[in-house]
Amino acid sequence: MVNAGPAVALRFPDFAAWAADPAREAEGLRLARRAEDVEPLFLASARELDREPKESDVPGVPLTGNGLRQALQNALQSDQAFAPPARLIRSAQGAEGRPVLPPELAGALSDEDAALTMAVVCNDVRWPGPGSGYAGRVAADRARYPLTAGMPVNISPCAFWTYDEEPRPTPG
């Protein structure tokens, strides 16, 4: 996941141009008049959501700074996925209470999907163990790539995974 911060930084200008396009005005998704103003707006929204959560009178999963960052990171895989994080940024601006994640973003992965994802990601390469300096990598990544704030290089289940370099025969 160490490439996620640089990848988001490289791809974000496409989102910023989309979010500043006057065509987004009719959809209520134009976030700024100029593309270069979108990043400071996003970062300010994420910082505000990182603060002590405000009470929400709307039921649901509260939107956090990391929830916003993760929604952005996921959306950058396709131009067609830009609208949901733009809506989240818009909902965070000047919200009286804590905005909530829309249901399509709030649900957890099923156990099967989570296990499969971790099996693929963690078996791909050997990951650094739990005592190998994750805090320092997060701090450095947070400073260098503020859009992801160190999240992609944080410790994951892969740090505890047993990695075997020897290929194993597939059953069957």
Side-chain angles (χ1 to χ4, degrees), residues 21-102:
D21 185 338
R24 303 283 90 74
E25 197 79 55
E27 306 164 78
L29 297 177
R30 188 173 187 200
L31 300 177
R33 298 230 177 268
R34 301 176 318 150
E36 56 268 23
D37 295 332
V38 175
E39 183 172 341
L41 175 70
F42 173 83
L43 294 172
S45 295
R47 275 191 308 273
E48 179 62 30
L49 291 167
D50 283 337
R51 292 196 177 112
E52 186 65 32
K54 302 175 207 170
E55 290 299 317
S56 176
D57 55 356
V58 180
V61 176
L63 177 61
T64 64
N66 279 341
L68 182 62
R69 290 179 190 99
Q70 187 65 60
L72 174 71
Q73 185 177 331
N74 293 344
L76 293 179
Q77 296 177 30
S78 167
D79 290 4
Q80 287 70 43
F82 286 173
R87 280 189 200 95
L88 289 175
I89 295 166
R90 179 66 71 210
S91 74
Q93 291 178 322
E96 290 298 315
R98 168 78 61 176
V100 297
L101 285 168

Side-chain angles (χ1 to χ4, degrees), residues 122 127-132 134 155-161:
C122 297
W127 287 74
S132 61
Y134 279 95
I155 196 164
S156 76
C158 298
F160 303 91
W161 205 267

